[in-house]
Amino acid sequence: MKYKHAALAAGLLAATALSFTGAVGAEEKPSGHPGTPEAEMRYKGAPVPIKPEEAVTVVSPKAPPLTETEFTRAKQIYFERCAGCHGVLRKGATGKPLTPDITLKKGTDYLKVFINYGSPAGMPNWGTSGDLTEQDVDVMARFLQHEPPTPPEFGMKQMKETWKVLVAPDKRPKKKMNQINLNNLFSVTLRDSGEVALIDGDTKKIVNIVKTGYAVHISRVSASGRYLYVIGRDAKINLIDLWMEKPDNVAEIKVGLEARSVETSKFKGYEDKYAIAGSYWPPQYTIMKGDTLEPLKIVATRGMTVDTQEYHPEPRVASIVASMIKPEWVINLKETGLIKLVDYSDIKNLKETTIESAKFLHDGGWDSTKRYFLVAANASNKVAVVDTKDGKLAALVDTKSKPHPGRGANFNHPKFGPVWATSHLGADVITLIGTDPAKHKDQAWKVVAELKNHGSGSLFVKTHPKSKNLWADAPLFPEKDMAESVTVYSIDALDKGPEVINVAKMADLPETKAVKRVVQAEYNEKGDEVWFSIWAGKTDPSAIVVIDDKTRKMKAVIKDPKLITPTGKFNVYNTQHDIY
């Protein structure tokens, strides 16, 4: 048996050696995840917040037996380490499918080697890395031959059981009751404490720490600027009234077991009327009342993939943006590669326009005119461009590996005119795409330039209409100094190359084992300050560094024991008006 395992391992490792050089850039260290850079592994391998007990165990007669205790352990391992890549139902996402029609044919011995040593396609070496014990590997090899345990659906009944209106609309202030400059207020995700910090951008003081769902993924602002909506990875939405003397929660709801996106209705006449949230599980989106989060309509997103036209039971809602030119949301479905333009003018007779793009859609943002939406299909190495005025796909742009723009960055290139920028998880470049088909037709929807970033593993790129700088982070790059630094370009002198600044050192935090990852530039309302989060370990001191955008020198450091793993930051005015 040992010889059999060794022979299988040798075959896998030989294939790994052949593919490794092409898959991992020269600047990256191996991740223990063959064929996959560490930055990508960290990004894709995030645990899902579904609890093992929520997923019903399905025993398959032909599969090797598991005890109840082993099933529970296997479900825990799968949701914490595997579901992010392979999907909750194991149908495949950025990772390969692991359904019984495949795994039963492979058998326990093969699967044990596969789990233990990994594969050139990107499977981690869970056993030899020490992440899983020999017993865990054996349990997982048997578990994968059973039908996937299915988490429960989450419909209207379940949503209404979680829905709470903490302060009714008629009991809320009739006017703003505080002296805060709300246009320059920041909503800062405190990832590991399940909170957001509301920070006054003028005074740099914490206004309030608001309890939310776990690891808030995004903050959005209503069209009026009064309400702040935040959604946790556990699919909990909190509605915060910024007019209160101390802004705080006024309503909450869970729209599923896992989610990433929330948005509001912004078209004239629909301001603050609706909110919408997209779920990872169950795969669906939910339309709610904007001032109470009362759920009104749930729409499933299950359907056929854009390429092979195969049914996918788990197309996760990756991101949602609201159009300013129509009563419409742009909804991006990760696994199927479909983009939905959803007309909310009559939700009883909901109209959807379905646009085919590329699989594994993730995040994106508007061009400077807010007519075109650009979204990264990051595992396909493409950016899809949607013409929301005409309701059709304008282009599919090929890029370097794993574009990850956040909302991207818009500016006027000295040579190519208006461009939109994205950085990359899998490449150390900042890609510039032309966005002006009227006056710069030859450059429109093409990669017009690639700027050097200080590393791959980037999550966000940012500028501001009043700024002359373009900033990019690389928090998931494996080398400490690079993860703690940012790249900044002068937009008027791109050919002079970038400056690389170690922002973490500016914070003067105590030395710890954890890397102090610098993540997500966010501008203040005036566009003369840029804020960076120092994302340290759960129990380590973190901070926010404020840099003067003109001088590129530190202006302030915000430190507080309550700032636990700050990550995303959202300036109210910039978020309200989609300024990036």
Side-chain angles (χ1 to χ4, degrees):
M1 191 67 69
K2 287 182 179 178
Y3 174 81
K4 190 175 182 181
H5 285 190
L8 284 166
L12 286 173
L13 293 175
T16 299
L18 290 173
S19 67
F20 187 78
T21 304
V24 181
E27 82 281 3
E28 292 224 29
K29 295 179 179 178
S31 62
H33 193 195
T36 305
E38 183 175 336
E40 189 179 336
M41 180 192 73
R42 288 180 181 275
Y43 176 72
K44 295 198 303 186
V48 304
I50 297 172
K51 299 178 178 64
E53 61 270 19
E54 292 175 330
V56 178
T57 297
V58 181
V59 178
S60 303
K62 294 181 180 179
L66 285 168
T67 66
E68 186 176 336
T69 301
E70 288 174 329
F71 262 117
T72 300
R73 173 61 178 159
K75 287 190 286 185
Q76 179 184 3
I77 292 171
Y78 187 80
F79 290 145
E80 288 182 356
R81 300 182 183 271
C82 314
C85 287
H86 298 283
V88 170
L89 299 180
R90 306 207 308 253
K91 291 287 187 180
T94 46
K96 302 287 186 182
L98 293 172
T99 46
D101 59 311
I102 297 169
T103 55
L104 275 169
K105 294 174 184 176
K106 299 294 185 183
T108 302
D109 288 342
Y110 177 93
L111 292 170
K112 285 171 70 173
V113 173
F114 186 72
I115 296 165
N116 202 43
Y117 290 97
S119 81
M123 178 72 177
N125 57 328
W126 292 116
T128 57
S129 67
D131 288 303
L132 296 183
T133 66
E134 185 176 343
Q135 183 180 2
D136 285 337
V137 170
D138 177 66
V139 167
M140 291 305 294
R142 288 180 283 137
F143 169 76
L144 291 177
Q145 297 173 72
H146 289 263
E147 289 293 329
T150 305
E153 298 297 316
F154 208 88
M156 189 62 73
K157 177 178 181 293
Q158 290 78 18
M159 287 186 195
K160 286 196 171 180
E161 287 173 352
T162 71
W163 172 49
K164 297 177 183 176
V165 177
L166 306 173
V167 181
D170 61 353
K171 302 295 183 183
R172 297 173 197 168
K174 307 302 180 188
K175 62 180 181 179
K176 188 164 83 80
M177 302 299 292
N178 56 63
Q179 300 302 311
I180 305 164
N181 175 11
L182 294 182
N183 281 345
N184 204 30
L185 185 71
F186 287 75
S187 173
V188 180
T189 296
L190 305 182
R191 188 184 187 281
D192 292 301
S193 66
E195 297 168 319
V196 294
L198 302 180
I199 301 179
D200 187 324
D202 293 346
T203 65
K204 312 297 188 288
K205 301 294 184 184
I206 296 175
V207 172
N208 197 14
I209 302 285
V210 181
K211 293 298 293 182
T212 62
Y214 169 70
V216 163
H217 192 252
I218 208 163
S219 297
R220 286 290 169 259
V221 180
S222 66
S224 69
R226 173 175 184 170
Y227 290 115
L228 177 70
Y229 301 78
V230 300
I231 188 164
R233 289 173 180 259
D234 57 0
K236 183 179 180 181
I237 304 173
N238 289 81
L239 175 60
I240 299 168
D241 187 354
L242 300 179
W243 280 12
M244 296 169 71
E245 187 173 351
K246 180 184 281 189
D248 210 337
N249 287 318
V250 292
E252 64 181 46
I253 192 172
K254 269 178 70 73
V255 292
L257 302 181
E258 185 180 10
R260 295 291 187 278
S261 54
V262 67
E263 184 57 288
T264 69
S265 52
K266 291 188 174 181
F267 187 66
K268 187 176 181 180
Y270 294 89
E271 299 93 337
D272 298 20
K273 183 173 183 178
Y274 295 124
I276 182 172
S279 302
Y280 267 27
W281 187 269
Q284 60 194 29
Y285 62 84
T286 304
I287 300 172
M288 298 157 281
K289 284 187 177 179
D291 61 351
T292 65
L293 301 181
E294 179 184 357
L296 302 173
K297 192 178 191 72
I298 305 168
V299 181
T301 58
R302 294 175 171 104
M304 315 308 281
T305 61
V306 70
D307 52 357
T308 57
Q309 299 288 290
E310 294 179 85
Y311 176 75
H312 201 294
E314 197 184 340
R316 296 174 285 183
V317 179
S319 55
I320 305 173
V321 295
S323 171
M324 300 290 242
I325 63 174
K326 291 181 181 180
E328 198 168 73
W329 291 301
V330 184
I331 301 178
N332 303 284
L333 307 184
K334 187 182 289 284
E335 280 72 22
T336 53
L338 299 177
I339 300 169
K340 302 280 189 178
L341 305 182
V342 177
D343 182 338
Y344 55 75
S345 61
D346 181 2
I347 67 169
K348 290 287 187 182
N349 300 283
L350 199 69
K351 295 177 182 178
E352 286 187 347
T353 299
T354 300
I355 296 174
E356 297 182 358
S357 62
K359 281 168 49 172
F360 309 115
L361 296 168
H362 192 63
D363 56 355
W366 296 103
D367 79 310
S368 58
T369 69
K370 296 187 173 59
R371 169 177 174 172
Y372 298 96
F373 178 72
L374 296 92
V375 57
N378 49 27
S380 296
N381 304 327
K382 296 180 187 296
V383 168
V385 183
V386 179
D387 182 344
T388 61
K389 181 179 179 181
D390 291 344
K392 63 182 182 181
L393 187 73
L396 269 179
V397 184
D398 291 318
T399 71
K400 290 285 176 61
S401 177
K402 308 297 186 297
H404 193 288
R407 286 301 175 98
N410 290 298
F411 63 93
N412 280 310
H413 190 280
K415 180 179 179 181
F416 303 114
V419 298
W420 178 88
T422 179
S423 53
H424 295 256
L425 273 165
D428 60 350
V429 298
I430 301 166
T431 298
L432 308 185
I433 297 172
T435 61
D436 184 7
K439 296 181 180 179
H440 296 81
K441 187 176 181 179
D442 290 344
Q443 284 80 41
W445 319 132
K446 296 176 183 176
V447 175
V448 297
E450 288 179 342
L451 309 177
K452 183 77 172 176
N453 197 5
H454 66 285
S456 59
S458 178
L459 294 178
F460 300 100
V461 63
K462 186 75 73 169
T463 189
H464 188 279
K466 296 179 182 178
S467 172
K468 297 295 185 180
N469 288 324
L470 176 68
W471 301 82
D473 61 19
L476 299 184
F477 194 75
E479 291 184 11
K480 178 176 182 290
D481 188 58
M482 294 295 97
E484 295 181 348
S485 299
V486 298
T487 286
V488 56
Y489 271 88
S490 295
I491 291 171
D492 293 336
L494 295 170
D495 57 338
K496 290 186 178 180
E499 180 182 1
V500 179
I501 302 172
N502 190 311
V503 176
K505 286 182 180 177
M506 294 178 173
D508 193 28
L509 294 170
E511 283 299 319
T512 61
K513 290 183 179 180
V515 177
K516 299 174 181 64
R517 303 181 189 280
V518 175
V519 64
Q520 199 209 26
E522 177 75 349
Y523 277 86
N524 64 343
E525 178 203 2
K526 293 180 180 178
D528 59 7
E529 292 177 357
V530 60
W531 292 35
F532 287 97
S533 296
I534 310 297
W535 175 13
K538 290 182 184 180
T539 58
D540 299 323
S542 290
I544 293 170
V545 174
V546 181
I547 294 177
D548 185 300
D549 186 62
K550 186 175 181 180
T551 66
R552 302 179 181 176
K553 303 297 182 184
M554 186 189 75
K555 187 173 181 179
V557 178
I558 304 171
K559 295 180 182 179
D560 193 290
K562 292 178 289 221
L563 287 180
I564 300 168
T565 55
T567 50
K569 301 164 299 305
F570 302 89
N571 173 270
V572 166
Y573 184 84
N574 294 338
T575 304
Q576 178 187 359
H577 297 282
D578 288 301
I579 295 172
Y580 32 80

